[in-house]
Amino acid sequence: MTNPLSADMLARMDAYWRAANYLSVGQIYLRDNPLLREKLTLDHVKPRLLGHWGTTPGLNFIYVHLNRIINERDVDMIYVTGPGHGGPGLVANTYLEGTYSEFYPEIGQDDAGLTRLVRQFSWPGGIPSHVAPETPGSINEGGELGYSLMHAYGAAFDNPDLVVACVVGDGEAETGALATSWHSNKFLNPARDGAVLPILHLNGYKIASPTVLARISHDELDALFRGYGYKPYFVEGHDPATMHQKMAATLDTVMEEIAGIQARARSGETVERPAWPMIVLRSPKGWTGPKEVDGHPTEDSWRSHQVPLAKLAEIPEHLELLDTWLRSYKAEELFDATGKLLPHLAALAPVGERRMGANPHANGGLLLKDLKLPDFRDYALPVAAPGAVMGEATRAAGAFLRDVLTLNDDVQNFRVFGPDETQSNRLGDVFEVTDRVFMGDIIETDQQLSPDGRVMEVLSEHLCQGWLEGYLLTGRHGFFSCYEAFIHVVDSMFNQHAKWLDVAKTIGWRKPVASLNYLLTSHVWRQDHNGFSHQDPGFIDHAMNKKAGVVRVYLPPDANTLLSVVDHCLRSRDYINVIVAGKQPELQWLDMEAAAAHCAVGLGVWDWASTCGEEEPDAVVACAGDVPTMEALAAVALLREQFPDIRLRVVNVVDLMTLQAPSQHPHGISDDQFDAMFTADRPVIFVHHGYPALIHRLIYRRTNHHNFHVHGFQEEGTTTTPFDMAVLNQIDRFHVAKAVVDGVRRFAHDRARFADLVAAKLAEHTEYICANGEDMPEIRDWVWPG
Amino acid sequence: MTNPLSADMLARMDAYWRAANYLSVGQIYLRDNPLLREKLTLDHVKPRLLGHWGTTPGLNFIYVHLNRIINERDVDMIYVTGPGHGGPGLVANTYLEGTYSEFYPEIGQDDAGLTRLVRQFSWPGGIPSHVAPETPGSINEGGELGYSLMHAYGAAFDNPDLVVACVVGDGEAETGALATSWHSNKFLNPARDGAVLPILHLNGYKIASPTVLARISHDELDALFRGYGYKPYFVEGHDPATMHQKMAATLDTVMEEIAGIQARARSGETVERPAWPMIVLRSPKGWTGPKEVDGHPTEDSWRSHQVPLAKLAEIPEHLELLDTWLRSYKAEELFDATGKLLPHLAALAPVGERRMGANPHANGGLLLKDLKLPDFRDYALPVAAPGAVMGEATRAAGAFLRDVLTLNDDVQNFRVFGPDETQSNRLGDVFEVTDRVFMGDIIETDQQLSPDGRVMEVLSEHLCQGWLEGYLLTGRHGFFSCYEAFIHVVDSMFNQHAKWLDVAKTIGWRKPVASLNYLLTSHVWRQDHNGFSHQDPGFIDHAMNKKAGVVRVYLPPDANTLLSVVDHCLRSRDYINVIVAGKQPELQWLDMEAAAAHCAVGLGVWDWASTCGEEEPDAVVACAGDVPTMEALAAVALLREQFPDIRLRVVNVVDLMTLQAPSQHPHGISDDQFDAMFTADRPVIFVHHGYPALIHRLIYRRTNHHNFHVHGFQEEGTTTTPFDMAVLNQIDRFHVAKAVVDGVRRFAHDRARFADLVAAKLAEHTEYICANGEDMPEIRDWVWPG
């Protein structure tokens, strides 16, 4: 191992590191006197000490070394911080490089700015303790662990000149999401994509105990990463001077290797999956912090995890220790009399957009280009009359997505994601113009598989979600299709992305990014073949808990409405759009003109299905979702047959948010509109795609809410027939029709008769399916009588 | 490699395998004529073909080989099926070994039984297509992939004589949950626990494309598993006879190794973590199925994933191919004239409880022993009067759990699980009697860490959940504490476990198991220091979507109520209990007698806080959760001070389910009780721990529901002070008191004055925290005036 750093460079880099460490400790502890120009007293210390020291010095160490690499090699690099609890370190570094003061001019490069810098941290009205949207240069919130490496890969796709340095914490490395993220290298094409440089930071401990990867043998660790397809480099030690040389030498080596891999791949040689370099940095937790506190080892121990010195008011010795600790960094050698970093140190930082805090890839909205979209109307299924034809909604969407891929092929800023289900979810037309991307071995019989594909399939909803998040936050577009039940795998990632968007929208310098678009298909009502485990419509409930400003939920009832919704979602910014639509052949209701108009409003009366004309209806039959719409209409058809004078109004809801009060969601229609549509006092039989409680919670402020009878998924499922799924949960035409009759006073004398009819129909159904294993022809072949 | 199987044994094992394959294909395709005694016609074929062939022959292959091992070595073994879509294989094998007919006598060992066996599969009223609770021998639902290996480890803990054979699919292996599961070997103690034998089944393909692990080099694959700490054995090939010998030889070897590891660990030698053997079985997908269909390769291709031959009615050639395929197994050499498996083949199966379908570990309720519980009243915090003392609720629970550990130490059937948070969640008293279990390297400075610990900590909610599920389903007890926000990581696992319990309760032969108990702490209201990413109370909403029969949610307001709830949950069976309780010092409200009585009912009027006596109140102040309870009471105190004649009723809710209509949940109180408590027409200001919508959806059928004003989490969060979190979301005393005044008609003339008072208080609060970084002393030190 050579020592690439000159004595001067070594001294300056170490000083820069000390400055970052100093400001990190300062942020955790100080509310004033940031450069200790006065003797440290309790008045200078925050009353509540909040923050995480343990991981911070390592993050700072890496940062200064990456700065050197960026400068020496003019690298376009961003920094993804897995151990994002070390927020002070990222704030300190982006401050030292000048970015922070540009984004937040009140935090200037002087004593006053430094005072504000240290004070704002973990302070009401200030900044969060973790890496967050507020942190320049970040695309990865540091609170919930596990998603750094997938975000890093997402950022690198289609960014050939970008190097994404990704620090992976050894705590984080225990999560499932992170454990499978290492395999992302099987999906990164060195000819087309940028590089990810994973730096596993083995600082040994979590909150209270050692980490797994820090306590396996070197051989196992080495084998693990070779097995994951990397070439691991180990930088291990404790002594700063030695570690600086090791880290610098290693970074030189790995950057050469990355350059070599890319040059070979881009020279026209056959693209093969290389063993990408990665670094294992083993350094002490709380490095340079107090060696011992109250007789307990602290540096290199879990006791450094948060605030190594607490209760400063109660234990005067701790205040002294803090003073000693802070002064050990020798701030007087780092900052001038005005509080500005000395020029020979400031010179270590890159300049302009090469600073990792200012790199536009980490503020992707700056780079975002609108997608070129074909006219979705060109993909219309011809629907001469409602219910006149059958169609597969997602297949129509697939044709549209195919052409989105083609139109944006020159910019290479759109990808389709899904856990091995793009074809099965009937989006397969995309394979006319692209493949699944794969850097594993490809054999002769493989189809639609290549290193150049733009469809990202892996049997991990985590990876799909995380890659897509990274791709979007760096200014690109994407579309994620998933089995409805299994999108719950990423509930918590959805939460964190929603929180990110919610906060990012309040930060002036963060520019809008493309929305995260989900298509949930293979949904609850058509997983009759896969059974109970595959039947769960709860994700939309989960989504609706997040802020109205960032979440949208759409339930298009057929192909043309789906096309309109997909087009709308691909144009939107800063949202999470959840679209639920089936892939099976279904009756089609609206021609494209009607579909577009219907989706523009989000809900509406379907006059062609209603029987009340201008009159007040006996009952409203409302529906949301494709199968519920079909069953609701079949119920209406049955009711028309049985009660020729019945006055029914049929309402279809595409945009669930329209049901909410306008005070709760911007899409919410006014109370007057709501009352006009749903009446003030008539029974509303609402056939819903998901759990009934969702509709109740959306409408509880509406006038007529006590007359809503919601039929939806009641958590009754198994392997059975499609129609039987509806029956088990009482969203079928018979139960719905009966609910209407039960609700209409003037049919009171008919209720018993109709109940008998329904009971007979249901018994016939049950008998038939048990004997034949499929639905009755009159159900399978049912068509809207028009 | 030796050939351990004699020619006779090889022939018989191959025949047994053919029988299993035959019955598997039969289940997927046939509704009649199961032994093809008649010419196969369309009448014998199911009209809808549902099922997954691809993985099934491999599962069958492994099963017959494990049967040999069980017999030759008298091994206590269960079979965990990761690729659980291969349900037909497990049904076939448990049928062949006789278990199936014992559990389901109508499926006898004859022609009639065989007819029912094939017909019931994926048939309405029959059985699901995946491995499911209905499948004998299973503890792992095969629908949602990724949890097999964690379930296997959960089963092996504290079962020293058990070997858990776990087939991991190569699709499943791409999930995050599975990718981190391999590290479970760092938590399994060979001296105390049983063995897990992972068998990675590389059959190469998912639904439509190759798997990652099937397309990396042998060297990488080998390194990966060595890196994970295993010793991999490769069984690879295509030719059945060769593969039988290889598999048999490999199983002999690995069973010897397992025995050796256990013998060394149990001989009193120092326990070290061994490199456990595992097997990589590379066999063709759809092995023994059609080589080619319609000119496309089918065996050894993703085209074998589900039903290789479809549209039998439309394509006569496919029916012929099916006939050829079925006859290739030579059923006439396998079953006698009555449809019974021939004796020389039946003799290959183990007998009695050694059959994997009949092993009691896979029906854990059979083995379940009640926990010995100390009297929870002995852990009471003395509460002389409501609000008279402070206490940490979870600390009290920790003392109780400590003694649960001690009392059941002889049986070794209770463990505590959590992602590195047991101490931080203040359950640390458990470390007086046990350690964290760890089989990684332990160094001198480590504390509370040993191979014998009963606290399972790993920074993976997935592993905690999966291990616990495996532990419970094999008849033991556990307790899982977690940060409230991050339990969403396992939303989908929760779903699947809830579905499992829901179905298992309907199966006569499955015996009740211990409930899965969550303690969600470090909750939304006290993550002021960690910020927005850590603030999410949505898991209880998620939980409430599942069946009323399996889900319970408790929000104890203080330590003594928490103790009562924990005691109750540890005694319960077949539920998922979600307990939410804070760890921070809080005012204590109820002495133990009152707490136990309160929890027994689940909600109640707190007369000591109410001011209405026997009179009808002006308003009801209701609360659920510890911080909401404190703020509600503080609001009441403020109102009493400002409006001495105000008549308030205070209701505290511990068991959220009591609010639901009794038709929706068995805990729901009657409408009369509800009306008596919440009145028919007075305003109810409900201060709720979580999202307000949850309360609205629970009570929408109640008389007075339109007068409920729910204050809860509005997704407003950041790093701030505890009280500011309440203010941001308007659950603080001032907003609550104002809501009461706004709701009471006779205070209409006071509203403006009171609004001014509240505005002034809130402004003072904001000013104070921004200046001082902590809450005002009058808030921090607030006590209930009694």
Side-chain angles (χ1 to χ4, degrees), chain A residues 145-147 150 175-182 462-463 493, chain B residues 176-177 180 462:
Chain A
L145 302 175
Y147 314 129
M150 44 182 73
T175 65
L178 203 297
T180 198
S181 293
W182 300 104
H462 284 112
L463 282 179
M493 296 185 74
Chain B
T180 198
H462 284 111

Side-chain angles (χ1 to χ4, degrees), chain A residues 705, chain B residues 616-620 671 674-685 696 699-709:
Chain A
H705 70 113
Chain B
E616 189 75 353
D618 293 313
V620 176
D671 284 336
F674 194 94
D675 293 351
M677 195 171 288
F678 291 102
T679 80
D681 56 3
R682 299 306 161 98
V684 179
I685 315 303
H696 288 292
I699 59 156
Y700 73 91
R701 296 192 183 193
R702 302 294 195 173
T703 311
N704 195 30
H705 69 115
H706 54 284
N707 282 316
F708 270 64
H709 305 270

Side-chain angles (χ1 to χ4, degrees), chain A residues 31 48 123 174 180 206-207 215 228 420 441 446 459 491 499 528 535-536 546 691 705 770-771, chain B residues 31 48 123 174 180 206-207 215 420 441 446 459 491 499 528 535-536 546 691 705 770-771:
Chain A
R31 57 182 293 181
R48 297 176 78 215
W123 190 272
E174 295 175 13
T180 198
K206 295 168 288 192
I207 305 178
R215 297 296 182 88
Y228 272 127
D420 191 31
D441 299 339
D446 288 334
L459 210 164
D491 274 5
K499 286 170 184 276
D528 42 279
Q535 295 157 353
D536 190 301
K546 290 289 161 270
Y691 294 102
H705 70 113
C770 288
Chain B
R31 57 182 295 183
R48 297 177 77 216
W123 189 272
E174 295 175 13
T180 198
K206 296 170 287 192
I207 303 178
R215 297 295 181 90
D420 191 33
D441 298 340
D446 288 335
L459 210 163
D491 274 4
K499 285 171 185 276
D528 42 280
Q535 295 157 353
D536 190 300
K546 289 288 161 272
Y691 293 102
H705 69 115
C770 288

